[in-house]
Amino acid sequence: MALHRLFVYGTLKRGQPNHEQFAAQYGVVKFAGLARTVNRWPLVIASRCNIPFMLDKEGHGNHVEGEIYDVDDKMLQHCDEFEGSPDYYQRVTIQIQLTQDSGGTKVDWEPSQDVMVYVLGSFKESLLELPLRQSYDSNGEHGLKYTPRCERTGDMVDHKTDVKTAP
Ligand code: PCA
């Protein structure tokens, strides 16, 4: 079975609000280590729901830190549906470098590798004025706590219009 390498930087990480989307019922998933992006990417927390986005503008921001997972077709499809790809986030291929292997051993230098990641395209330019972060934690000192989907009521449901340009 062919597995696909996915870099996650936001709510899908361990200890973050959507990590349970990696449950076995949705497909195969194997933790493969910690990594950082080879190039700089703008990572922001945006919208009325405080959602993390890597904006599709390579070369701005920081070397973003995240986790690597190997997933099967079924899990990849589940993640696409969950992230609203390709209409909301888009799944693209970028370069990352492993910093720690799956057993927790630090890796000094690893050749870069191509992996998939969910980025936000067609975003409002004003998002680039937000603080550009290096890593994401829903409970970080920024105080911008993520609003889970099940708690999005009333005006909250329009959160996508905060970050996407009109089609
Ligand atoms: N979920 C995906 C993209 C942003 C988010 O919250 C991730 O964790 O990589």
Side-chain angles (χ1 to χ4, degrees):
M1 175 190 47
L3 294 177
H4 314 278
R5 216 146 235 223
L6 193 62
F7 175 73
V8 309
Y9 59 87
T11 58
L12 290 175
K13 291 193 298 183
R14 291 182 293 195
Q16 297 301 318
N18 293 324
H19 187 64
E20 71 270 20
Q21 295 305 319
F22 283 149
Q25 74 200 84
Y26 304 121
V28 172
V29 56
K30 290 183 197 150
F31 175 68
L34 304 183
R36 90 165 76 80
T37 60
V38 169
N39 295 324
R40 293 174 184 274
W41 290 85
L43 169 61
V44 299
I45 300 173
S47 91
R48 63 195 87 174
C49 295
N50 293 322
I51 299 170
F53 300 103
M54 239 171 82
L55 306 175
D56 192 5
K57 199 172 173 84
E58 191 170 7
H60 288 249
N62 295 294
H63 300 279
V64 172
E65 295 168 0
E67 298 171 357
I68 298 292
Y69 291 88
D70 290 324
V71 299
D72 69 351
D73 288 343
K74 206 170 144 222
M75 181 59 85
L76 190 61
Q77 198 190 333
H78 172 71
C79 290
D80 280 357
E81 280 162 20
F82 183 76
E83 300 298 355
S85 175
D87 297 333
Y88 182 37
Y89 287 88
Q90 282 85 48
R91 176 160 51 78
V92 299
T93 300
I94 68 161
Q95 286 192 309
I96 58 97
Q97 255 175 327
L98 214 65
T99 53
Q100 201 168 298
D101 69 20
S102 59
T105 306
K106 284 221 166 21
V107 176
D108 261 354
W109 188 86
E110 268 287 299
S112 59
Q113 46 177 299
D114 289 340
V115 296
M116 290 181 289
V117 61
Y118 293 103
V119 299
L120 191 74
S122 311
F123 61 86
K124 290 189 171 166
E125 281 291 307
S126 57
L127 297 186
L128 288 165
E129 288 155 32
L130 293 169
L132 301 181
R133 303 173 188 279
Q134 180 158 23
S135 65
Y136 173 76
D137 177 3
S138 170
N139 289 311
E141 279 175 18
H142 48 68
L144 302 169
K145 207 167 157 39
Y146 178 79
T147 307
R149 290 184 195 191
C150 55
E151 292 173 19
R152 292 176 196 166
T153 52
D155 279 358
M156 286 243 178
V157 297
D158 296 327
H159 66 93
K160 290 184 187 173
T161 61
D162 296 345
V163 295
K164 296 288 269 189
T165 53

